[in-house]
Amino acid sequence: MLTVALCKGKLIEPALALFGRAGYAGARLATESRRLVFACPEIGMTFLIVRPTDVPTYVEHGAADVGIVGKDVLLEQDSDVYEPLDLGFGACRIAVAALRGQDSRDRLSSKIRVATKYPRITERYFNQRGVPVEIIKLYGSIELAPLVGLADRIVDLVETGNTLKTHDLVEVECIATSTARLIVNRASLKLKHATVTELIQKLRRAAMTRRPSTSVTANGRNRSNQKTKRVPA
Ligand SMILES: Nc1ncnc2c1ncn2[C@@H]1O[C@H](COP(=O)(O)OP(=O)(O)OP(=O)(O)O)[C@@H](O)[C@H]1O
Ligand SMILES: O=P(O)(O)OC[C@H]1O[C@H](OP(=O)(O)OP(=O)(O)O)[C@H](O)[C@@H]1O
């Protein structure tokens, strides 16, 4: 029996579709309900529904054997988990953005105020460049911060760029790209080796044959995949 940590929101639908394609047909959860635990004995799995930022915690501590989470969260948290698979979906960039016309550093005072959900990624990024920053930790609606004078810059996820555009913001720099990852508890990998490696292999094959979907190209524009897309594992 494997316990799988998933998060509601943007990653749940492609994650369940992936399990379906991998042959775990019972992985259909009533995601609109208030239920947080779904036992699926017919496929030997129990699914836990947790917050995206909590997925690595459940997996690291062994409360879940495996989980699906964005690379953005892994980069921020630096958890001690095994990360065997890039699943390809949930593609976006972690980017620095600023109000249009205020995207040059020259106009700023020595210390830049940066609003973000990702304080560690942000601090690492600006420290590496020797730029002093004051980090303002927010939990959502990050694009609002420069509009109301709370910050000079934001560091947030960008997919289509529509949210930036709507708020007259421009992308200044891309810090990293992010896609959903399969993560595995290190002890589960040893103690449930056969089951876990079978899951990894099946998910890897299923991730290579993604159904038509929308992905982000290098220039940030959306591209609709009309054909089966190969995703590097
Ligand atoms: N616009 C986006 N495009 C593609 N992937 C995204 C986008 N926004 C978020 N993601 C991915 O989906 C994950 C979950 O994001 P989602 O928006 O569902 O929850 P959240 O708002 O970050 O979490 P919470 O509900 O805890 O505040 C992110 O960690 C990221 O990997
Ligand atoms: O480039 P786009 O396609 O517009 O996508 C980017 C938006 O998606 C995410 O927001 P989300 O919907 O998760 O809301 P929140 O982070 O403010 O909770 C991210 O924080 C951006 O606001």
Side-chain angles (χ1 to χ4, degrees):
M1 198 75 176
L2 284 183
T3 303
V4 182
L6 299 178
C7 50
K8 272 193 185 170
K10 295 198 173 69
L11 301 184
I12 190 87
E13 189 272 332
L16 292 177
L18 179 75
F19 273 90
R21 292 201 307 285
Y24 300 101
R28 276 183 228 102
L29 320 184
T31 47
E32 70 286 353
S33 81
R34 298 286 302 158
R35 185 176 282 273
L36 302 174
V37 187
F38 295 87
C40 302
E42 65 281 14
I43 55 166
M45 287 185 193
T46 297
F47 292 91
L48 308 180
I49 305 296
V50 306
R51 290 285 292 267
T53 46
D54 291 338
V55 171
T57 309
Y58 277 77
V59 174
E60 183 173 5
H61 292 271
D65 299 299
V66 303
I68 291 182
V69 66
K71 182 69 180 178
D72 53 317
V73 172
L74 295 173
L75 288 172
E76 178 65 19
Q77 297 191 2
D78 207 15
S79 309
D80 184 21
V81 293
Y82 176 52
E83 188 195 315
L85 267 189
D86 181 344
L87 301 171
F89 58 81
C92 53
R93 311 185 289 288
I94 307 167
V96 184
L99 278 172
R100 188 180 301 282
Q102 292 178 24
D103 45 325
S104 154
R105 255 223 85 194
D106 314 340
R107 293 166 185 254
L108 298 171
S109 60
S110 61
K111 204 169 203 181
I112 301 179
R113 291 169 308 150
V114 188
T116 187
K117 272 209 255 195
Y118 302 96
R120 293 175 73 183
I121 293 173
T122 302
E123 191 163 27
R124 263 197 315 260
Y125 174 80
F126 284 100
N127 278 352
Q128 277 166 6
R129 278 152 191 79
V131 178
V133 282
E134 177 194 346
I135 292 175
I136 299 167
K137 165 81 178 159
L138 295 177
Y139 294 85
S141 305
I142 315 296
E143 291 84 356
L144 191 57
L147 268 64
V148 296
L150 181 62
D152 307 303
R153 295 277 185 273
I154 60 168
V155 167
D156 197 17
L157 300 182
V158 181
E159 184 194 8
T160 60
N162 287 340
T163 314
L164 290 184
K165 211 167 156 191
T166 303
H167 298 95
D168 208 22
L169 296 161
V170 289
E171 194 172 328
V172 176
E173 226 159 316
C174 172
I175 298 179
T177 54
S178 175
T179 44
R181 306 299 163 105
L182 179 75
I183 56 171
V184 180
N185 172 268
R186 293 196 183 277
S188 302
L189 187 61
K190 291 188 186 127
L191 299 172
K192 302 184 181 179
H193 191 259
T195 326
V196 170
T197 48
E198 186 189 356
L199 175 72
I200 294 170
Q201 280 166 9
K202 285 183 172 176
L203 291 181
R204 176 177 287 127
R205 273 200 295 272
M208 303 275 279
T209 53
R210 247 164 81 197
R211 61 174 191 191
S213 68
T214 303
S215 68
V216 182
T217 60
N219 66 6
R221 292 206 187 94
N222 256 11
R223 177 177 59 193
S224 187
N225 301 321
Q226 297 306 321
K227 294 181 191 143
T228 301
K229 185 176 182 325
R230 282 183 71 81
V231 178

